Structure formats: C-alpha cells, structure tokens
Amino acid sequence: MILDAALPQGSLRRVPEVAELAEQFGVGCLWASETQHDPFLPGPLVYAHTRRLAFGTAIAVAFARSPTTIAHTAWDLAEASGGRFLLGLGTQVRAHVERRFGMPWPDSAVAKLREQIQAIRALWRCWQTGERLSFRGRYHSLTLTSPFFNPGPIPHPGIPIYVAGVNRGLVRLAGEVADGFHVHPLHSPEYLRRVVLPALEEGARRAGRSRGEVTVSASVMIATNPQEREFLRSQVAFYASTPSYRTVLAAHGWEEVGERLSALARAGRWSEMPKLVSDKMLEAFCVLAGPKEVPDALRARYAGLVDRITPYLPLVPGERQELWTALARTFGGTDGRSVAKP
C-alpha cells in the first residue's frame, strides 16, 4: 500500500512546510480537499518545494465547474509538476451543489460526471494531438477551439482521474472510466467487500477493463488516544446522518441509527448525535490502536482491499509524530506517481 497524506486546511503559506515534511516521510501523494479553500491552488507550492511528492484533489467538486475549466487547471498542474498531479473529482450532494455553489443539480449525477470526464479527456486529446474538438453530450457541448485558446501538448498528458463516491452508481462509474476511486472516510472493510469492490468489478467489466486498472484510495479514520477517539465518534455521527450515505450503514444493519442521526441533524441537535455512535460502530469505521500498532492494524484491515491509504486527520508539522514515523517506516517511500500514465 502507498502511504498518502491529507493537506490541513489553512493558509497557503503553510503548504511548503507540510509538503517538505510529507516528502521526508516518504508520502506518495498529498491530497487537498474542497472544504474551506480551493483544492487546486496548493499544487504549485507543493511542486516548487518537493522533487518526488505527488499532489492531487480529494476531491474537487466537479459540478461546481465546467469541463473546460477543470481540464485547463489539471493540464497546467500536470505540466508544472512533471506529471505529479492526480485529478480527484466528486459530485458532492445536492444541497451543497445548489446552495453552497449556486449550481444546478443534474437529473442523474452518475451520467453527468461520466460526461464531464469524457469531455475533459476530449479536450486533453485535442490539446495533445491536434484532434478536432467535437464533443456533444447530454449536459455539455464542446466544439469551439482555436490555437489562441489551445495550450498545446505537454510531456505528461496521461493525467490520472480519480472518482469519489459512496453508493454503487458512482463506484461502478469509477470502474468504467476512472484511473482511481476515492473511498469516503465513512467506510468499513465489510462495506468495501460487499459494495465497493463488486461494483468496481462490474463497472470495469462493462467497459472491457480489469478491476486492477483502478487504484483504490481510502481515507482512513485512525485514533491513537481517547481525544482522537471521541473526535472521530463525532465525525462518524456527522457523516452517518447523511441520507445518501445510508449504504455504508446498511452493510452492518445500522440504517435505523442513520435515520435517528438524520432527525437530530435536521433539528440542529448536533451535540446529541455522537451519543448514538456505539463503540461497535466506532470500531467498524475506525482504526483504534496505539501509534506503533497502527501499521499492523492497517495491514490486517486493508490487505487486498485498497492500494493507497490516507490518514483522515491531516499531516501537521509537530503533531502525531510517533504515528507518522511508524507509518513511514512501514509504508513510506513508494512513488505516488506509479499510477500515472506515460
């Protein structure tokens, strides 16, 4: 398994320090999320202060952007990094797309994301090979280009695209069209075995591909002390309250807990929600072990299930050093660009 890390939220001025530390630990890729800040902007700072470390988005909200803006940003980051950029896209949920980004929610999230990926790759082919741009789909039509707007070829045009999702539709889509799949932090080995891997296999089979062509990357909730344990209990409660994530709970027969959490969330009773997350649920969704025991626990939990692991709590200089040292000794040093195409 490749060891990755999550970039902490905060000022761009901290990115060089985090990137340098990640490279020292042998991290494969530093992932940025789209929560409080733009997920693409840290890229140039990562590349300027490292030589090997990859940088990617986990995730950028696809429906907040047009295929052309995504394609241009990814193209520039791939060129600037010498092929160290990984493009992770997700749909988000309807409320966020409509009310946080002010964009329309499609009639089919799976169909629109598939089309966006196809459109992005059509643009990349146009820029790299001179192929005429002629993409016509249900949601997007791209037929206009000229040398003035064409950035031209780059040395590393095979930009890996990762898809994020929870339910079977988006997992199948990843198997069909993506280079990688981002597993949501709210997951368990049982959910991976019963839902994710079969759906990936189905999607790959539909496209005449093998499951091995899709890299599975998991964000893993890890608690090494009581404080982290209770923080993750609150995170599990927050995620499990989302109705569209009920598939994960269903793998364990906990749908009723999810309904109760959703009711508390609608009422704004956030402080009461963690009380509904039992120790059994916490153990299902989190790795609970001392810092030195975490690597063995990860191996036992994820062997044969995932290819990349990212601790859910971000890499912060001066924090969790014992854990990161143990992880680096076991998993560090693998080239995070190994999934990139030539």
Side-chain angles (χ1 to χ4, degrees), residues 121-152:
R121 286 179 171 150
L123 287 159
W124 290 344
R125 289 194 301 272
C126 171
W127 300 339
Q128 188 67 21
T129 69
E131 174 184 314
R132 182 170 175 265
L133 179 63
S134 180
F135 182 87
R136 293 176 173 85
R138 177 175 165 187
Y139 304 98
H140 303 285
S141 180
L142 302 174
T143 59
L144 177 62
T145 190
S146 66
F148 187 76
F149 300 107
N150 187 331

Side-chain angles (χ1 to χ4, degrees), residues 172-225:
R172 282 194 295 264
L173 178 65
E176 179 185 344
V177 304
D179 302 290
F181 177 70
H182 280 306
V183 179
H184 193 277
L186 184 69
H187 71 265
S188 67
E190 184 70 12
Y191 159 76
L192 294 176
R193 293 188 187 95
R194 293 179 57 182
V195 177
V196 172
L197 296 185
L200 274 178
E201 182 71 36
E202 181 183 346
R205 187 170 56 249
R206 287 180 180 179
R209 310 170 72 202
S210 69
R211 214 295 280 154
E213 295 179 61
V214 185
T215 299
V216 179
S217 174
S219 175
V220 181
M221 291 192 275
I222 301 170
T224 62
N225 59 52

